[in-house]
Each structure stands twice: as structure tokens, then as C-alpha cells.
Amino acid sequence: MFTTLMKYEWIATRRMFGFIAGISWLIVACIGVFQTFMFEPLSSLIFGISLVVSIGTTFVCSVVFVYEYFQSMYGRRGYFTHSLPVKGRTIVAAKTVYYIIVMLVVAVTFILQMGFAILMYQWDRGVSISTMLSSLSDIFVAANALPITFITIIVLLGIIEGVLFWEFAITVGNRPMFAQLGKVVGPIIVVAVTQIVTQIVSVIMIVFAPGILTFNESAQGAGGWSVNWTISISSKLMASQPTDAMVPLGIFIALLLYIVFFWWATVRSVERATSLR
């Protein structure tokens, strides 16, 4: 049933996401080709437009995800979803996994579009393809001295947390306690309150939670980075020590806490709603 639910999500959203992706790539490609015939400052302006289009595509896909989740749970398709003979956690799991995959594809699309825009921008300035590929290779070699694994995990956790956050806000915002406020006002209140709370928790975890990732060429550890689990950013600040090359691992902890809480609260709310069938 899990895969069947994901298939339903794909059928319900494929045309919309496909249309957005197609239009986005068409605009970026046309802008990239067009800017090769332009001179400064129009060339730089057109390059900036392509960046805006790529960023806008990510935003639009996020809006579509929020809209589709709302419609399938509490909108025009909500009755069908809540009448399915499956557990609430299965419904939430299928939607969560599907939209995490969608947002990962959106992130990869954004990177590819940025790469294409930069490629065309450099080509317009007479930089050869071989030179650009050589520079790209140098970037990957230099990346060995940076915490690429850390950055990748943070991005993945951020996508998962973002999907679960909006599912949590929409689901909890439509619980009976918010029923009198309407199907839109309730989620807005939940979003506002949750944002305030998570910001406070994030600051506390980043500053006071033990664990610091240090990266530089002289650091001991694979790829030029190391982890110290015994100190925090606050202890470094109190000792007036530099923190410019350090990343607090409290970011990890905070994201994991949000993921667990949002998942638990969303499943609990949906389970209560489906148990009334």
C-alpha cells in the first residue's frame, strides 16, 4: 500500500512538476544562448535573470508541494485520503518520502541550472570548455580539504526537516482546536509559533551544544577536517578564541530534534483523525 500511495502522489503531481521543470529549463536555456550574443552590461543582467529563474523554480515547487499536501489531506481530496483503509502513519510516510524525493530532484535541478548558467556566462567571455573543465576539476580537488560530507548531510537534513515542517504545520493547524479559525489561519498560526520556537532552540543548540567541526589544511582528520565533541562555540567565545573555521555540530542536533518532533506530531494528528473513521 505504501508504494501505491506514492504512485497516487506521482499521478496527482507529475503534470504540475513536469510543467514547472520544462518551463524553467526552457527559459534558462534560452537565456543562456541569448546572452552569448549580448555585450556588457546586458550579458551580466541576463545571467542574473537566469539565477532568479532557478531560485524561483525552487520556490514555486515548494509552494506546489505545500498546496498539494493541503489539498490531499484537508482540501478537495481530503475525504478520499482519510477514507483509505490504511494507517495514518502509512499515509504520512508515503507523502513524506515522495516529497523528499521531489525536493531532492529540485535541488539537483537547481545545481544543474546554476552550472549551465555559469558555463554559458564564462563561454561568453571567451573561456574555453577545456579551461572550465580544468577549473571544475581543481574545485573538486580543493574540496577534499573542506567538510563536503558535513555540508551534504546538512542539506539532506534541511530538505527532510523542511518537508516535515510544512506537513506538521498543515496537519496540526487543521486539528479541532483550530477548526473555528478556518483551514488556512490555523496552519499560519502554527507556522508562526513554530518558527519562533525553533529559532530560539537553534540558537541554544548552536551556541551551547558540545561538538565543533574544524576544517583547515592542517587539521587532523580525513580531508583536512576534525571533530571535537568536548567543546562548544560558547566556550570558544568565552576564551576569546577564533571561530571562523569552525562549525557547531549543534546544527545537526537541532535538525534531528525537529525531524523527530515534526514526524511524531504529524503522525499522531493523522492517526487521531483516521481512527474516527
Side-chain angles (χ1 to χ4, degrees), residues 217-244:
E217 294 183 1
S218 60
Q220 298 298 319
W225 57 274
S226 62
V227 177
N228 189 325
W229 294 99
T230 61
I231 60 175
S232 63
I233 288 294
S234 61
S235 63
K236 286 285 187 180
L237 292 174
M238 293 178 64
S240 299
Q241 296 178 348
T243 59
D244 55 335

PDB file of all heavy atoms in Angstrom, residues 217-244:
ATOM      1  N   GLU A 217      43.599  23.037   6.321  1.00  0.00           N
ATOM      2  CA  GLU A 217      44.569  22.117   5.729  1.00  0.00           C
ATOM      3  C   GLU A 217      45.446  21.431   6.765  1.00  0.00           C
ATOM      4  O   GLU A 217      45.975  20.357   6.531  1.00  0.00           O
ATOM      5  CB  GLU A 217      45.446  22.870   4.731  1.00  0.00           C
ATOM      6  CG  GLU A 217      44.670  23.375   3.515  1.00  0.00           C
ATOM      7  CD  GLU A 217      45.571  24.044   2.512  1.00  0.00           C
ATOM      8  OE1 GLU A 217      46.789  24.096   2.774  1.00  0.00           O
ATOM      9  OE2 GLU A 217      45.078  24.507   1.471  1.00  0.00           O
ATOM     10  N   SER A 218      45.597  22.040   7.939  1.00  0.00           N
ATOM     11  CA  SER A 218      46.456  21.449   8.960  1.00  0.00           C
ATOM     12  C   SER A 218      45.691  20.614   9.974  1.00  0.00           C
ATOM     13  O   SER A 218      46.286  20.032  10.869  1.00  0.00           O
ATOM     14  CB  SER A 218      47.206  22.551   9.719  1.00  0.00           C
ATOM     15  OG  SER A 218      46.295  23.429  10.354  1.00  0.00           O
ATOM     16  N   ALA A 219      44.342  20.575   9.841  1.00  0.00           N
ATOM     17  CA  ALA A 219      43.553  19.811  10.805  1.00  0.00           C
ATOM     18  C   ALA A 219      43.832  18.329  10.684  1.00  0.00           C
ATOM     19  O   ALA A 219      44.079  17.811   9.594  1.00  0.00           O
ATOM     20  CB  ALA A 219      42.058  20.083  10.585  1.00  0.00           C
ATOM     21  N   GLN A 220      43.775  17.657  11.808  1.00  0.00           N
ATOM     22  CA  GLN A 220      44.000  16.216  11.802  1.00  0.00           C
ATOM     23  C   GLN A 220      42.686  15.513  11.492  1.00  0.00           C
ATOM     24  O   GLN A 220      41.693  15.688  12.176  1.00  0.00           O
ATOM     25  CB  GLN A 220      44.514  15.761  13.187  1.00  0.00           C
ATOM     26  CG  GLN A 220      45.844  16.377  13.568  1.00  0.00           C
ATOM     27  CD  GLN A 220      46.939  15.974  12.599  1.00  0.00           C
ATOM     28  OE1 GLN A 220      47.014  14.816  12.174  1.00  0.00           O
ATOM     29  NE2 GLN A 220      47.804  16.919  12.244  1.00  0.00           N
ATOM     30  N   GLY A 221      42.684  14.720  10.470  1.00  0.00           N
ATOM     31  CA  GLY A 221      41.481  14.010  10.083  1.00  0.00           C
ATOM     32  C   GLY A 221      41.392  13.923   8.584  1.00  0.00           C
ATOM     33  O   GLY A 221      42.077  14.613   7.849  1.00  0.00           O
ATOM     34  N   ALA A 222      40.503  13.052   8.115  1.00  0.00           N
ATOM     35  CA  ALA A 222      40.363  12.843   6.677  1.00  0.00           C
ATOM     36  C   ALA A 222      39.863  14.114   6.010  1.00  0.00           C
ATOM     37  O   ALA A 222      38.934  14.755   6.465  1.00  0.00           O
ATOM     38  CB  ALA A 222      39.380  11.689   6.429  1.00  0.00           C
ATOM     39  N   GLY A 223      40.505  14.457   4.911  1.00  0.00           N
ATOM     40  CA  GLY A 223      40.059  15.607   4.138  1.00  0.00           C
ATOM     41  C   GLY A 223      40.357  16.937   4.771  1.00  0.00           C
ATOM     42  O   GLY A 223      39.803  17.958   4.388  1.00  0.00           O
ATOM     43  N   GLY A 224      41.245  16.994   5.782  1.00  0.00           N
ATOM     44  CA  GLY A 224      41.585  18.275   6.383  1.00  0.00           C
ATOM     45  C   GLY A 224      40.547  18.806   7.346  1.00  0.00           C
ATOM     46  O   GLY A 224      40.419  20.014   7.504  1.00  0.00           O
ATOM     47  N   TRP A 225      39.777  17.926   7.993  1.00  0.00           N
ATOM     48  CA  TRP A 225      38.824  18.399   8.987  1.00  0.00           C
ATOM     49  C   TRP A 225      38.776  17.424  10.158  1.00  0.00           C
ATOM     50  O   TRP A 225      39.112  16.253  10.039  1.00  0.00           O
ATOM     51  CB  TRP A 225      37.431  18.586   8.391  1.00  0.00           C
ATOM     52  CG  TRP A 225      36.837  17.367   7.750  1.00  0.00           C
ATOM     53  CD1 TRP A 225      37.027  16.939   6.465  1.00  0.00           C
ATOM     54  CD2 TRP A 225      35.946  16.423   8.354  1.00  0.00           C
ATOM     55  NE1 TRP A 225      36.327  15.790   6.224  1.00  0.00           N
ATOM     56  CE2 TRP A 225      35.638  15.458   7.377  1.00  0.00           C
ATOM     57  CE3 TRP A 225      35.373  16.311   9.620  1.00  0.00           C
ATOM     58  CZ2 TRP A 225      34.797  14.387   7.622  1.00  0.00           C
ATOM     59  CZ3 TRP A 225      34.520  15.234   9.874  1.00  0.00           C
ATOM     60  CH2 TRP A 225      34.236  14.294   8.870  1.00  0.00           C
ATOM     61  N   SER A 226      38.384  17.938  11.297  1.00  0.00           N
ATOM     62  CA  SER A 226      38.346  17.136  12.510  1.00  0.00           C
ATOM     63  C   SER A 226      37.158  17.550  13.362  1.00  0.00           C
ATOM     64  O   SER A 226      36.602  18.633  13.198  1.00  0.00           O
ATOM     65  CB  SER A 226      39.644  17.292  13.303  1.00  0.00           C
ATOM     66  OG  SER A 226      39.801  18.645  13.696  1.00  0.00           O
ATOM     67  N   VAL A 227      36.772  16.669  14.287  1.00  0.00           N
ATOM     68  CA  VAL A 227      35.627  16.915  15.159  1.00  0.00           C
ATOM     69  C   VAL A 227      36.071  16.831  16.611  1.00  0.00           C
ATOM     70  O   VAL A 227      36.772  15.899  17.001  1.00  0.00           O
ATOM     71  CB  VAL A 227      34.490  15.897  14.902  1.00  0.00           C
ATOM     72  CG1 VAL A 227      33.344  16.123  15.882  1.00  0.00           C
ATOM     73  CG2 VAL A 227      34.002  16.001  13.469  1.00  0.00           C
ATOM     74  N   ASN A 228      35.681  17.822  17.391  1.00  0.00           N
ATOM     75  CA  ASN A 228      35.935  17.819  18.828  1.00  0.00           C
ATOM     76  C   ASN A 228      34.587  17.829  19.542  1.00  0.00           C
ATOM     77  O   ASN A 228      33.831  18.800  19.449  1.00  0.00           O
ATOM     78  CB  ASN A 228      36.761  19.050  19.217  1.00  0.00           C
ATOM     79  CG  ASN A 228      37.245  18.981  20.657  1.00  0.00           C
ATOM     80  OD1 ASN A 228      36.558  18.466  21.532  1.00  0.00           O
ATOM     81  ND2 ASN A 228      38.432  19.515  20.900  1.00  0.00           N
ATOM     82  N   TRP A 229      34.292  16.746  20.260  1.00  0.00           N
ATOM     83  CA  TRP A 229      32.989  16.595  20.907  1.00  0.00           C
ATOM     84  C   TRP A 229      32.959  17.169  22.317  1.00  0.00           C
ATOM     85  O   TRP A 229      31.931  17.087  22.992  1.00  0.00           O
ATOM     86  CB  TRP A 229      32.589  15.127  20.955  1.00  0.00           C
ATOM     87  CG  TRP A 229      32.351  14.528  19.612  1.00  0.00           C
ATOM     88  CD1 TRP A 229      33.199  13.770  18.869  1.00  0.00           C
ATOM     89  CD2 TRP A 229      31.153  14.641  18.827  1.00  0.00           C
ATOM     90  NE1 TRP A 229      32.639  13.412  17.670  1.00  0.00           N
ATOM     91  CE2 TRP A 229      31.371  13.929  17.624  1.00  0.00           C
ATOM     92  CE3 TRP A 229      29.920  15.286  19.011  1.00  0.00           C
ATOM     93  CZ2 TRP A 229      30.405  13.845  16.636  1.00  0.00           C
ATOM     94  CZ3 TRP A 229      28.968  15.192  18.031  1.00  0.00           C
ATOM     95  CH2 TRP A 229      29.211  14.476  16.855  1.00  0.00           C
ATOM     96  N   THR A 230      34.046  17.718  22.801  1.00  0.00           N
ATOM     97  CA  THR A 230      34.130  18.148  24.197  1.00  0.00           C
ATOM     98  C   THR A 230      33.980  19.646  24.393  1.00  0.00           C
ATOM     99  O   THR A 230      33.827  20.111  25.524  1.00  0.00           O
ATOM    100  CB  THR A 230      35.474  17.702  24.816  1.00  0.00           C
ATOM    101  OG1 THR A 230      36.544  18.311  24.085  1.00  0.00           O
ATOM    102  CG2 THR A 230      35.604  16.190  24.750  1.00  0.00           C
ATOM    103  N   ILE A 231      34.025  20.424  23.325  1.00  0.00           N
ATOM    104  CA  ILE A 231      33.927  21.875  23.460  1.00  0.00           C
ATOM    105  C   ILE A 231      32.749  22.395  22.641  1.00  0.00           C
ATOM    106  O   ILE A 231      32.218  21.700  21.774  1.00  0.00           O
ATOM    107  CB  ILE A 231      35.226  22.571  22.994  1.00  0.00           C
ATOM    108  CG1 ILE A 231      35.514  22.236  21.517  1.00  0.00           C
ATOM    109  CG2 ILE A 231      36.404  22.162  23.865  1.00  0.00           C
ATOM    110  CD1 ILE A 231      36.711  22.981  20.966  1.00  0.00           C
ATOM    111  N   SER A 232      32.340  23.604  22.944  1.00  0.00           N
ATOM    112  CA  SER A 232      31.230  24.251  22.234  1.00  0.00           C
ATOM    113  C   SER A 232      31.662  25.628  21.755  1.00  0.00           C
ATOM    114  O   SER A 232      32.710  26.148  22.146  1.00  0.00           O
ATOM    115  CB  SER A 232      30.013  24.378  23.157  1.00  0.00           C
ATOM    116  OG  SER A 232      30.315  25.217  24.253  1.00  0.00           O
ATOM    117  N   ILE A 233      30.825  26.226  20.928  1.00  0.00           N
ATOM    118  CA  ILE A 233      31.112  27.564  20.439  1.00  0.00           C
ATOM    119  C   ILE A 233      31.155  28.562  21.595  1.00  0.00           C
ATOM    120  O   ILE A 233      31.978  29.483  21.617  1.00  0.00           O
ATOM    121  CB  ILE A 233      30.053  27.995  19.408  1.00  0.00           C
ATOM    122  CG1 ILE A 233      30.246  27.222  18.091  1.00  0.00           C
ATOM    123  CG2 ILE A 233      30.139  29.497  19.132  1.00  0.00           C
ATOM    124  CD1 ILE A 233      31.526  27.545  17.367  1.00  0.00           C
ATOM    125  N   SER A 234      30.279  28.381  22.582  1.00  0.00           N
ATOM    126  CA  SER A 234      30.253  29.308  23.711  1.00  0.00           C
ATOM    127  C   SER A 234      31.566  29.288  24.479  1.00  0.00           C
ATOM    128  O   SER A 234      32.061  30.341  24.906  1.00  0.00           O
ATOM    129  CB  SER A 234      29.093  28.959  24.649  1.00  0.00           C
ATOM    130  OG  SER A 234      29.237  27.644  25.161  1.00  0.00           O
ATOM    131  N   SER A 235      32.151  28.094  24.660  1.00  0.00           N
ATOM    132  CA  SER A 235      33.426  28.016  25.371  1.00  0.00           C
ATOM    133  C   SER A 235      34.539  28.696  24.577  1.00  0.00           C
ATOM    134  O   SER A 235      35.426  29.325  25.144  1.00  0.00           O
ATOM    135  CB  SER A 235      33.791  26.551  25.636  1.00  0.00           C
ATOM    136  OG  SER A 235      33.978  25.842  24.422  1.00  0.00           O
ATOM    137  N   LYS A 236      34.479  28.590  23.250  1.00  0.00           N
ATOM    138  CA  LYS A 236      35.462  29.267  22.409  1.00  0.00           C
ATOM    139  C   LYS A 236      35.311  30.787  22.501  1.00  0.00           C
ATOM    140  O   LYS A 236      36.300  31.523  22.574  1.00  0.00           O
ATOM    141  CB  LYS A 236      35.310  28.816  20.953  1.00  0.00           C
ATOM    142  CG  LYS A 236      35.822  27.411  20.679  1.00  0.00           C
ATOM    143  CD  LYS A 236      37.337  27.387  20.658  1.00  0.00           C
ATOM    144  CE  LYS A 236      37.874  26.040  20.232  1.00  0.00           C
ATOM    145  NZ  LYS A 236      39.360  26.020  20.211  1.00  0.00           N
ATOM    146  N   LEU A 237      34.063  31.247  22.500  1.00  0.00           N
ATOM    147  CA  LEU A 237      33.820  32.678  22.587  1.00  0.00           C
ATOM    148  C   LEU A 237      34.257  33.238  23.940  1.00  0.00           C
ATOM    149  O   LEU A 237      34.833  34.320  24.023  1.00  0.00           O
ATOM    150  CB  LEU A 237      32.331  32.962  22.353  1.00  0.00           C
ATOM    151  CG  LEU A 237      31.802  32.687  20.943  1.00  0.00           C
ATOM    152  CD1 LEU A 237      30.299  32.880  20.890  1.00  0.00           C
ATOM    153  CD2 LEU A 237      32.481  33.594  19.919  1.00  0.00           C
ATOM    154  N   MET A 238      33.981  32.489  25.007  1.00  0.00           N
ATOM    155  CA  MET A 238      34.372  32.927  26.343  1.00  0.00           C
ATOM    156  C   MET A 238      35.887  32.982  26.490  1.00  0.00           C
ATOM    157  O   MET A 238      36.424  33.801  27.241  1.00  0.00           O
ATOM    158  CB  MET A 238      33.770  32.007  27.406  1.00  0.00           C
ATOM    159  CG  MET A 238      32.254  32.085  27.503  1.00  0.00           C
ATOM    160  SD  MET A 238      31.575  30.939  28.712  1.00  0.00           S
ATOM    161  CE  MET A 238      32.286  31.598  30.218  1.00  0.00           C
ATOM    162  N   ALA A 239      36.579  32.104  25.747  1.00  0.00           N
ATOM    163  CA  ALA A 239      38.041  32.090  25.788  1.00  0.00           C
ATOM    164  C   ALA A 239      38.659  33.039  24.764  1.00  0.00           C
ATOM    165  O   ALA A 239      39.876  33.083  24.614  1.00  0.00           O
ATOM    166  CB  ALA A 239      38.555  30.675  25.555  1.00  0.00           C
ATOM    167  N   SER A 240      37.771  33.793  24.065  1.00  0.00           N
ATOM    168  CA  SER A 240      38.216  34.758  23.044  1.00  0.00           C
ATOM    169  C   SER A 240      39.056  34.079  21.964  1.00  0.00           C
ATOM    170  O   SER A 240      40.009  34.667  21.443  1.00  0.00           O
ATOM    171  CB  SER A 240      39.021  35.892  23.697  1.00  0.00           C
ATOM    172  OG  SER A 240      38.222  36.590  24.621  1.00  0.00           O
ATOM    173  N   GLN A 241      38.687  32.849  21.606  1.00  0.00           N
ATOM    174  CA  GLN A 241      39.396  32.127  20.560  1.00  0.00           C
ATOM    175  C   GLN A 241      38.640  32.272  19.243  1.00  0.00           C
ATOM    176  O   GLN A 241      37.406  32.384  19.228  1.00  0.00           O
ATOM    177  CB  GLN A 241      39.537  30.643  20.915  1.00  0.00           C
ATOM    178  CG  GLN A 241      40.388  30.403  22.152  1.00  0.00           C
ATOM    179  CD  GLN A 241      40.469  28.929  22.506  1.00  0.00           C
ATOM    180  OE1 GLN A 241      39.736  28.107  21.982  1.00  0.00           O
ATOM    181  NE2 GLN A 241      41.378  28.606  23.418  1.00  0.00           N
ATOM    182  N   PRO A 242      39.348  32.277  18.108  1.00  0.00           N
ATOM    183  CA  PRO A 242      38.680  32.443  16.806  1.00  0.00           C
ATOM    184  C   PRO A 242      37.759  31.268  16.492  1.00  0.00           C
ATOM    185  O   PRO A 242      38.055  30.121  16.807  1.00  0.00           O
ATOM    186  CB  PRO A 242      39.850  32.512  15.815  1.00  0.00           C
ATOM    187  CG  PRO A 242      40.981  31.802  16.497  1.00  0.00           C
ATOM    188  CD  PRO A 242      40.816  32.100  17.969  1.00  0.00           C
ATOM    189  N   THR A 243      36.607  31.571  15.855  1.00  0.00           N
ATOM    190  CA  THR A 243      35.643  30.535  15.495  1.00  0.00           C
ATOM    191  C   THR A 243      35.303  30.576  14.011  1.00  0.00           C
ATOM    192  O   THR A 243      34.337  29.958  13.575  1.00  0.00           O
ATOM    193  CB  THR A 243      34.346  30.717  16.302  1.00  0.00           C
ATOM    194  OG1 THR A 243      33.799  32.017  16.025  1.00  0.00           O
ATOM    195  CG2 THR A 243      34.610  30.604  17.796  1.00  0.00           C
ATOM    196  N   ASP A 244      36.108  31.297  13.195  1.00  0.00           N
ATOM    197  CA  ASP A 244      35.774  31.473  11.786  1.00  0.00           C
ATOM    198  C   ASP A 244      35.900  30.186  10.989  1.00  0.00           C
ATOM    199  O   ASP A 244      35.256  30.025   9.955  1.00  0.00           O
ATOM    200  CB  ASP A 244      36.642  32.567  11.168  1.00  0.00           C
ATOM    201  CG  ASP A 244      38.131  32.306  11.368  1.00  0.00           C
ATOM    202  OD1 ASP A 244      38.472  31.609  12.338  1.00  0.00           O
ATOM    203  OD2 ASP A 244      38.933  32.804  10.559  1.00  0.00           O
TER     204      ASP A 244
END
